[in-house]
Amino acid sequence: MGYSAAIAGASGYAGGELLRLLLGHPEIEIGTLTAGSNAGTPLIQHQPHLLPLADRVLAPTTVEELRGHDVVYLALPHGQSADIAQQLGDDVLVVDCGADFRLNDASAWERFYGTPHAGTWPYGLPELPGQRDRLAGARRVAVPGCHVTVATLALFPGLAEQLVEPDLTVVAVTGTSGAGKAPKPNLIGSEIMGALSPYGVGGTHRHNPEIVQNLTSVTGEPVKLSFTPVLAPLPRGILATCTAPLKPGVTAAQVRAAYETTYADETFTRLLPEGTWPSTAMTLAANTTLLQVTVDADAGRMVVVAALDNLTKGTAGGAVQSTNIALGLPEETGLPLAAVAP
């Protein structure tokens, strides 16, 4: 038996990536597509690469339009998912690609987002210890932030095995699609081309508390994080360099063994052979996170470099991966392992 899915926010980048993946999903049929200000316009006007859906017209994002589906994906601006989700029944699988239900700590939500906390849903990062059990049969799923996915997968094995101190530094170079489709002066071609620029510096980025939340869950110690994202002239992709001080006596062999063991059976998160370093091109349009780990002996630090496509594994691919688990389908269903090159 197949499942029907509605996508709210189908004209945006996350919505478009969800549609691209669902077009190749053998068990999910694409139903109603909705949008906000773009309602009433043809999808092809906003997603010209999705030719199989060229005849679709975007409906307004209302509960009435979204009802009647087995799965509802919410690819909406932060703060807009809660009202809709509350009106959809518990028999519907609602997968939120926004931030509304990611954080456990209401005070952290209010500090970083400035609105009342809507609650906490099962968390859609299957590779994080314990999450597959929480996602199995779930009717609500909160998809992680893209920076959160790459930083969590890069760092948690070292923390879980007590190999590093929980004093973490992450510098993540990212493409412009993570900022969404809405026009912004700092994202126009003449501003972004040929330039790198930091943003969310000094612990102010909204993904900060989410990364800390995830990594605290795998270690019994409080986690400190210095996270600096850097905007690069790329359409999509994140390359994160993540470091932490080694605990006394820890060797490079122990560190590599921990990552090899953690990811030995994972389909989508892979430790690369020694000497091969990730690049964003290696993950383009694939539901993969590729990692390399080493030890900087002079600095006494573990260094992990990780890459993913922020729209695929970082958003829509993570959503579909979690959907598969929630519905009891094989986790890999409809998700690409091969990237696009050159």
Side-chain angles (χ1 to χ4, degrees):
M1 184 186 79
Y3 300 90
S4 63
I7 293 86
S11 61
Y13 287 137
E17 186 72 350
L18 273 167
L19 291 171
R20 183 181 74 86
L21 296 175
L22 293 176
L23 281 167
H25 197 296
E27 301 293 336
I28 296 179
E29 180 182 354
I30 297 171
T32 301
L33 310 181
T34 79
S37 61
N38 293 321
T41 62
L43 178 71
I44 198 72
Q45 181 177 318
H46 310 282
Q47 310 286 10
H49 62 299
L50 300 177
L51 289 178
L53 301 172
D55 61 340
R56 297 295 192 93
V57 175
L58 295 166
T61 300
T62 65
V63 174
E64 290 70 28
E65 294 285 355
L66 297 173
R67 281 195 180 114
H69 297 82
D70 301 303
V71 185
V72 173
Y73 292 99
L74 302 177
L76 302 172
H78 303 318
Q80 294 187 15
S81 298
D83 287 344
I84 291 173
Q86 288 172 358
Q87 299 177 67
L88 293 170
D90 292 339
D91 56 330
V92 180
L93 171 57
V94 183
V95 182
D96 185 19
C97 294
D100 293 28
F101 299 96
R102 295 171 182 166
L103 295 181
N104 298 322
D105 185 339
S107 63
W109 170 270
E110 291 165 7
R111 174 187 166 195
F112 282 86
Y113 291 89
T115 59
H117 187 227
T120 307
W121 286 358
Y123 193 69
L125 186 56
E127 294 87 351
L128 195 62
Q131 287 308 117
R132 286 187 172 94
D133 289 341
R134 297 182 182 101
L135 290 169
R139 298 293 91 184
R140 298 289 187 270
V141 174
V143 179
C146 53
H147 285 296
V148 182
T149 296
V150 72
T152 300
L153 296 177
L155 287 166
F156 93 76
L159 288 165
E161 296 299 319
Q162 301 291 309
L163 301 176
V164 295
E165 304 289 351
D167 184 3
L168 313 172
T169 300
V170 176
V171 178
V173 180
T174 185
T176 57
S177 59
K181 253 188 179 180
K184 300 176 180 69
N186 66 309
L187 297 179
I188 61 175
S190 57
E191 299 291 334
I192 190 66
M193 295 298 288
L196 295 171
S197 55
Y199 64 102
V201 181
T204 61
H205 194 281
R206 287 173 166 180
H207 288 175
N208 244 69
E210 194 181 342
I211 298 170
V212 170
Q213 172 180 287
N214 290 350
L215 296 176
T216 300
S217 75
V218 298
T219 179
E221 304 171 84
V223 170
K224 291 194 296 183
L225 171 69
S226 174
F227 170 50
T228 305
V230 178
L231 189 65
L234 306 168
R236 50 204 286 170
I238 300 176
L239 186 74
T241 301
C242 310
T243 76
L246 294 171
K247 290 199 170 184
V250 172
T251 67
Q254 287 177 287
V255 170
R256 183 158 190 92
Y259 279 78
E260 287 175 341
T261 301
T262 299
Y263 292 125
D265 297 323
E266 289 292 346
T267 299
F268 298 115
T269 301
R270 303 288 186 92
L271 179 65
L272 296 173
E274 289 190 73
T276 301
W277 291 91
S279 75
T280 56
M282 296 162 68
T283 65
L284 183 62
N287 192 55
T288 53
T289 304
L290 302 182
L291 305 100
Q292 186 56 274
V293 62
T294 192
V295 164
D296 183 336
D298 290 337
R301 298 182 74 87
M302 178 183 77
V303 180
V304 186
V305 178
L308 56 66
D309 186 319
N310 59 291
L311 293 180
T312 315
K313 178 59 174 165
T315 307
V320 174
Q321 188 179 343
S322 298
T323 298
N324 289 338
I325 297 171
L327 295 177
L329 300 172
E331 189 172 329
E332 300 82 8
T333 306
L335 290 168
L337 271 174
V340 175

